[in-house]
Amino acid sequence: MSHDQKSYEDILRTAGHRVTRQRILILDAVCEGNSHSTLGEIFARVRVKDYSIDRSTLYRTLKLYVDLGLVLSAEPGDGETYYEIAGPHRHHHLICRRCRKEQEIEHNVVKLMFDQLTEVYAFSADSDHLVIMGMCQACRITSSGIQRSSPEFR
C-alpha cells in the first residue's frame, strides 16, 4: 500500500507535529514492506538510507503514526509487532500459524461480529485492523495427511 494516497504531511502538521526527513524515511520504510513489516525489517530499511536513525527514534515515530491512524499495528501472538500503512478502508487479516501465509479480508466479513459485540456486550470495538490466527487450508490438509500416515495416530 502506498502512503501517497493520503496527505500524511498535512495530517502530521494539523496534529501539531513537524515533518522531518527522518519521519518521512520511516514512513517510506513502512510503505516499502508492501504489507506487514516487523520493527526489525523497518529498522533495516531505514538504516540503509540514514544510519543515524536509532531504534528509539523509530519506536517513537511508529507510535506517533499509530496514534494518528497513519500506520496500523498488529500483534498476532508470535512475539512480534507488525506495521503497515493504513489504507482508506478497514480490513483484516487471516494468518496461518504454520506457513505464515497471510490473507486479507474485507471488513464486511467480520462486521456482524463487531455489531454483536456492541449489541450483546455493549462494547464498541474500534479496531480497523483485526488479525486472526489459525491454519490455512493447505496446512490443514498437510497436517491431516501427516497424522493419518504417522504410526502414533493409528
Side-chain angles (χ1 to χ4, degrees):
M1 157 119 354
S2 169
H3 64 277
D4 297 329
Q5 295 177 356
K6 286 185 179 181
S7 179
Y8 287 82
E9 292 181 13
D10 289 343
I11 293 168
L12 280 168
R13 286 187 186 106
T14 300
H17 301 282
R18 293 183 322 134
V19 177
T20 65
R21 181 177 174 278
Q22 290 180 327
R23 286 182 175 158
I24 296 303
L25 286 175
I26 291 170
L27 188 63
D28 288 344
V30 174
C31 189
E32 288 169 14
N34 293 325
S35 184
H36 293 107
S37 294
T38 65
L39 187 75
E41 292 167 338
I42 296 167
F43 187 61
R45 287 186 212 118
V46 166
R47 295 290 288 230
V48 167
K49 295 176 181 168
D50 185 342
Y51 198 76
S52 71
I53 297 175
D54 59 20
R55 284 190 181 268
S56 64
T57 300
L58 181 62
Y59 286 128
R60 285 191 311 271
T61 303
L62 287 173
K63 182 180 182 330
L64 172 65
Y65 287 157
V66 170
D67 291 346
L68 292 175
L70 301 175
V71 170
L72 302 173
S73 67
E75 297 176 20
D78 64 356
E80 291 278 3
T81 301
Y82 294 84
Y83 299 90
E84 74 174 307
I85 295 293
H89 305 289
R90 296 169 96 180
H91 71 281
H92 310 285
H93 299 271
L94 305 175
I95 300 176
C96 179
R97 287 189 190 280
R98 180 181 250 182
C99 71
R100 307 302 297 166
K101 178 183 170 191
E102 179 182 316
Q103 182 177 355
E104 191 171 299
I105 59 174
E106 296 297 321
H107 180 68
N108 62 0
V109 174
V110 294
K111 184 181 181 322
L112 179 61
M113 179 185 72
F114 280 78
D115 293 344
Q116 288 180 337
L117 288 173
T118 302
E119 184 179 320
V120 175
Y121 297 99
F123 183 84
S124 179
D126 60 5
S127 173
D128 54 356
H129 190 237
L130 179 66
V131 175
I132 301 172
M133 302 299 293
M135 195 177 297
C136 71
Q137 181 179 11
C139 288
R140 279 196 333 267
I141 290 169
T142 302
S143 178
S144 295
I146 291 170
Q147 289 177 355
R148 273 187 252 123
S149 63
S150 172
E152 299 171 354
F153 295 102
R154 289 186 186 172

